[in-house]
């Protein structure tokens, strides 16, 4: 988890850069994708009162028979994921991030999620605004919590 919090800023736009689809560095591409997934998951959970998250959106895409064995239009895939969770998050977020820089206050987001850097590790604040909801769903279980 420490690495995630420490390295996620690499996905943020740098001065003079364009959006996500025009990235030309490994770090921005990798961490920009991780940032997209984090933002999408948090927003899906917010809009569905934690009933669903990014995992259900991705499963919805696979459930219609789409996987890596065949090329598929990304925007169609994102719309399918949105339909699977019943809220429109993935496609609008992609449209906002794809060709222009999007500023994200990661410090505020980590704080709301109850994740705090503590030297070379992280501490969790179960009383944070979004933390309890995530914990109730076992969200952090697969992140080593």
């Amino acid at each position: 988890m420490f690495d995630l919090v420490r390295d996620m800023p690499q996905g943020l736009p740098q001065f003079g850069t364009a959006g996500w689809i025009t990235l030309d560095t490994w770090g921005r591409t990798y961490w920009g994708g991780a940032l997209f997934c984090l933002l999408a998951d948090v927003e899906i959970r917010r809009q569905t009162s934690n009933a669903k998250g990014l995992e259900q959106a991705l499963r919805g895409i696979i459930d219609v028979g789409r996987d890596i064995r065949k090329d598929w239009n990304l925007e169609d895939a994102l719309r399918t994921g949105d339909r699977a969770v019943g809220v429109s998050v993935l496609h609008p977020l992609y449209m906002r991030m794809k060709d222009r820089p999007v500023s994200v206050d990661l410090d505020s987001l980590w704080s709301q999620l109850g994740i705090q850097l503590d030297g070379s590790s992280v501490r969790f604040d179960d009383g944070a605004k979004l933390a309890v909801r995530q914990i109730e769903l076992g969200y952090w279980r697969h992140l080593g919590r």
Side-chain angles (χ1 to χ4, degrees), residues 14 16-30:
Q14 303 302 314
T17 61
W20 195 29
I21 61 171
T22 59
L23 301 176
D24 59 356
T25 66
W26 174 89
R28 273 277 281 134
T29 301
Y30 179 86

Side-chain angles (χ1 to χ4, degrees), residues 102-117:
V102 173
S103 179
V104 177
D105 184 349
L106 283 174
D107 290 335
S108 175
L109 182 58
W110 296 134
S111 178
Q112 290 177 51
L113 290 168
I115 301 169
Q116 303 165 349
L117 282 178

Side-chain angles (χ1 to χ4, degrees), residues 35-91:
L35 180 60
F36 174 86
C37 291
L38 175 65
L39 295 173
D41 188 60
V42 168
E43 185 60 19
I44 291 167
R45 290 176 185 284
R46 186 188 70 74
Q47 288 190 32
T48 65
S49 299
N50 260 340
K52 296 181 181 172
L54 181 60
E55 180 179 348
Q56 287 77 23
L58 297 175
R59 284 184 179 166
I61 293 168
I62 290 175
D63 286 348
V64 298
R66 301 300 184 170
D67 57 33
I68 65 171
R69 291 176 285 184
K70 182 178 178 187
D71 285 339
W72 199 27
N73 177 283
L74 177 58
E75 290 187 39
D76 291 342
L78 296 174
R79 285 187 196 101
T80 299
D82 283 340
R83 281 191 298 277
V85 293
V87 294
S88 188
V89 171
L90 297 174
H91 187 260

Side-chain angles (χ1 to χ4, degrees), residues 120-140:
S120 61
S121 64
V122 294
R123 286 184 299 121
F124 297 99
D125 175 7
D126 293 346
K129 181 180 177 180
L130 299 177
V132 173
R133 293 182 200 139
Q134 303 299 332
I135 292 165
E136 288 170 354
L137 293 174
Y139 181 72
W140 299 116

